[in-house]
Amino acid sequence: MSTVVENKPALAPEVTAFLNKAVQKAFVGGRWVEAADGATFDVLDPGTGQKIATVASLKKADVDKAVDIAVDAFHNSGWAKMPVNERSAVLHRIADAVEKRIHIFAQIESLDCGKVYGQAVGDIQNFIDTFRYFADLSQSVNYRNVIAVKHHEAWVARHPWGACGFIIPWNFPFLLAGWGLAPALAAGNTCVLKPAEDTPLSSLYLCHMLQELELLPAGVLNVVTGLGSEAGAAVSQNPKFRRMSFTGSPEVGRMVAEACGRNLVPVKCELGGKGAAVVFNDVDIAETAEKLVQAITFHTGQVCCDATRWLIQKDIYSDFVDECITRMKSVQVGYPMDEGTQMGPVVSAKQKARVLSYLQKGVAGGADLILEGGEAKVPGKNGFYVKPALLAGSLDNIAAREEIFGPVAYLAPFSSEEEGIRLANDTEYGLGNSVWSRDLARCARVAESFESGNGWINAHNVIVHGVPYAGVGKSGMGGGVVSPDTLNDYLRPISVVRPL
Ligand code: NAP
Ligand code: MG
């Protein structure tokens, strides 16, 4: 692993020590374990294309053992029965400990998924905020609702479900681990987390921290590293889970939901998107163009709810396009931990090929490539870099309909409010759309007309703890995240009735 140390003299000593481990093992039952067959896979730094870790590649039998351990910890570790205020205090301690190490976690996240360092810090802060949010919320939930019914004494009690499974993607590894784990743990459940193969390191470092500080009983949080088709499939197929949460693509989401359906395990899916921004002619053109350019280049466009279809009212269309081209051209592509970098690489060679192929397919289908994009070169770094790109034309084009997951936006004009809404909703996805106008009454009307889980006004990608975040259609099913509803999802209601 010496390459890592040479390349990043500024790395924290804790990060160097962590990356210098010969094999990053999975964390099961409070111990570090290898796959029974000894298999491993490599993890790369997307900014250099170089290997930074060798990680245990768990198979079905290894995963099933981890689930058994999580079930046992649910019944026997004391976590599920711990008084709510004590459990809440543990979650706060975890948040405090991560906060103390925020730069360690951010360096690991930046290296592992190619995230611009400052954005990685933001993700770790979000994890901390999520833990604090659910720790506090868990203390004010009503765990026993008395129901007034004739001739009966009745109440609904709420208890944790048991072992819960989590399968998460590579674009926001630590932030999404927080969104999943915090409500489940706050409610008293035990967890098995399968991180993405490209980005397992921050969740493993979390386990390292939890073990060192003895913050959770053994078996309450287990991280099973491995390939999607093996470890991921094994998590989705295990009938001993009481709840499952999947975040990722609609294609894999379908497989996970099918497997859960067979076992009658309740599953929630947070899936992809093809969000629209509907921009009216009364906006400040420069300011709005700047915000949309920031949105599509943030984490190199690998954001599920991003504004990828920019619908612009006809009379400002050409001025707006000019503003966007100028701003997109000036975005500084570079190594994620270098000062001045505004946009880092995409996560993998596969993702780079996907982005470039959509530009080709879009043009082949008749779209205008109004800002060329393509491969970007960063001196001295052989990573997975692409330039931001803009396409325009018919919204029937493949690049306007399918999720690209890169710094590529598709522009089209519209005339009336009604047409803007219709075009925004003309998609199989339904995660986040935004409306841009000085007329706030119109904004409220348009935002509510979106057939999506989220409608944002004069901003995009706005996710706030306390406000439900979920998708409809191909963007998700079965509930959302970061709100009181989410905590409730991890509490099993039991109705108790006594005839009087
Ligand atoms: P993905 O390919 O669906 O992978 C997601 C997770 O599923 C990974 O951990 C993956 O493991 C695992 N997996 C792969 N095959 C599996 C199988 N057969 N059974 C069970 N699990 C399996 O998605 P991705 O490419 O990582 O992430 C991008 C997608 O996530 C986009 O569509 C994006 O919009 C969506 N997303 C949605 C949200 C939201 O909140 N709605 C948030 C973030 C991302 P491996 O990585 O090891 O293959
Ligand atoms: Mg990586």
Side-chain angles (χ1 to χ4, degrees):
M1 299 295 109
S2 57
T3 45
V4 171
V5 184
E6 282 160 20
N7 277 346
K8 324 267 165 355
L11 284 188
E14 294 89 342
V15 176
T16 308
F18 176 66
L19 292 177
N20 277 339
K21 283 189 190 178
V23 176
Q24 301 285 352
K25 298 179 186 173
F27 189 70
V28 175
R31 294 185 313 116
W32 298 103
V33 302
E34 295 193 61
D37 65 2
T40 58
F41 62 92
D42 292 343
V43 167
L44 310 180
D45 170 0
T48 61
Q50 287 176 351
K51 178 169 139 180
I52 51 169
T54 304
V55 180
S57 187
L58 269 50
K59 303 288 158 40
K60 183 168 166 36
D62 305 309
V63 169
D64 288 349
K65 221 183 255 176
V67 181
D68 285 345
I69 285 171
V71 171
D72 182 66
F74 180 76
H75 294 295
N76 300 315
S77 74
W79 181 249
K81 297 263 161 61
M82 191 181 277
V84 171
N85 58 337
E86 281 180 32
R87 215 163 42 217
S88 165
V90 174
L91 263 68
H92 272 293
R93 260 177 243 137
I94 294 174
D96 294 349
V98 173
E99 189 169 50
K100 243 182 156 171
R101 294 160 182 76
I102 190 163
H103 298 293
I104 298 174
F105 278 100
Q107 284 188 348
I108 290 171
E109 196 77 331
S110 175
L111 270 178
D112 196 12
C113 78
K115 223 172 249 283
V116 171
Y117 180 72
Q119 295 174 12
V121 172
D123 283 15
I124 312 303
Q125 186 60 52
N126 190 289
F127 176 101
I128 296 162
D129 295 344
T130 306
F131 264 67
R132 289 184 177 148
Y133 172 73
F134 283 110
D136 289 342
L137 188 67
S138 69
Q139 298 196 59
S140 59
V141 166
N142 204 341
Y143 290 91
R144 194 170 183 274
N145 285 83
V146 174
I147 302 174
V149 280
K150 222 176 186 180
H151 307 313
H152 295 82
E153 182 190 21
W155 70 93
V156 174
R158 288 186 172 75
H159 295 285
W161 285 92
C164 301
F166 299 86
I167 302 173
I168 58 172
W170 43 258
N171 60 341
F172 289 89
F174 203 57
L175 176 149
L176 292 174
W179 286 7
L181 299 175
L185 291 174
N189 299 280
T190 58
C191 302
V192 176
L193 172 76
K194 157 45 188 117
E197 172 189 337
D198 285 322
T199 57
L201 298 181
S202 54
S203 50
L204 290 178
Y205 195 78
L206 174 70
C207 298
H208 175 78
M209 183 197 86
L210 294 173
Q211 187 189 39
E212 185 188 320
L213 303 178
E214 297 181 13
L215 286 173
L216 283 178
V220 170
L221 171 60
N222 306 279
V223 173
V224 290
T225 49
L227 309 187
S229 55
E230 296 175 347
V235 168
S236 71
Q237 289 160 8
N238 193 298
K240 295 180 184 170
F241 284 119
R242 287 290 169 263
R243 292 208 68 96
M244 181 73 64
S245 167
F246 172 81
T247 309
S249 63
E251 295 73 28
V252 179
R254 238 178 224 128
M255 290 196 270
V256 171
E258 276 173 15
C260 290
R262 269 196 298 279
N263 291 325
L264 303 178
V265 172
V267 57
K268 73 163 78 179
C269 290
E270 306 288 336
L271 308 174
K274 193 72 189 176
V278 181
V279 181
F280 286 92
N281 59 9
D282 60 348
V283 297
D284 179 320
I285 292 178
E287 194 184 307
T288 308
E290 177 64 21
K291 286 185 179 161
L292 287 179
V293 168
Q294 273 173 10
I296 196 66
T297 53
F298 176 72
H299 195 29
T300 323
Q302 303 166 113
V303 180
C304 50
C305 51
D306 223 328
T308 55
R309 295 175 297 142
W310 297 356
L311 310 174
I312 316 297
Q313 206 161 19
K314 248 182 193 142
D315 35 345
I316 60 163
Y317 182 77
S318 113
D319 290 347
F320 197 87
V321 167
D322 291 344
E323 278 287 342
C324 294
I325 291 175
T326 312
R327 283 160 199 280
M328 291 277 261
K329 272 186 182 160
S330 75
V331 171
Q332 189 64 41
V333 179
Y335 188 67
M337 284 208 262
D338 283 350
E339 199 121 350
T341 294
Q342 290 172 310
M343 195 176 92
V346 292
V347 75
S348 61
K350 184 176 154 203
Q351 193 61 25
K352 179 174 171 179
R354 179 187 169 102
V355 172
L356 299 181
S357 84
Y358 268 107
L359 293 178
Q360 280 171 1
K361 287 189 264 186
V363 171
D368 293 328
L369 194 54
I370 56 177
L371 177 65
E372 200 176 12
E375 192 170 14
K377 294 278 177 219
V378 173
K381 308 283 181 197
N382 196 22
F384 314 121
Y385 296 98
V386 296
K387 293 182 201 155
L390 291 172
L391 291 156
S394 160
L395 289 165
D396 290 332
N397 188 279
I398 187 169
R401 306 207 71 81
E402 296 187 4
E403 188 177 35
I404 300 174
F405 229 50
V408 182
Y410 199 102
L411 285 133
F414 70 91
S415 301
S416 63
E417 179 176 317
E418 196 190 7
E419 191 191 13
I421 295 168
R422 185 174 57 72
L423 294 178
N425 287 338
D426 184 17
T427 169
E428 292 177 292
Y429 290 101
L431 194 50
N433 295 313
S434 57
V435 50
W436 303 74
S437 169
R438 286 182 209 271
D439 178 348
L440 293 183
R442 169 158 69 187
C443 285
R445 204 164 54 229
V446 173
E448 277 197 37
S449 306
F450 291 141
E451 290 165 26
S452 55
N454 307 280
W456 296 309
I457 295 174
N458 294 331
H460 204 97
N461 296 336
V462 195
I463 303 169
V464 187
H465 291 99
V467 181
Y469 174 82
V472 300
K474 228 169 133 180
S475 291
M477 66 165 212
V481 289
V482 303
S483 84
D485 301 349
T486 319
L487 183 59
N488 231 6
D489 285 344
Y490 287 98
L491 289 166
R492 174 180 57 83
I494 171 158
S495 299
V496 181
V497 190
R498 181 173 70 97
L500 296 175

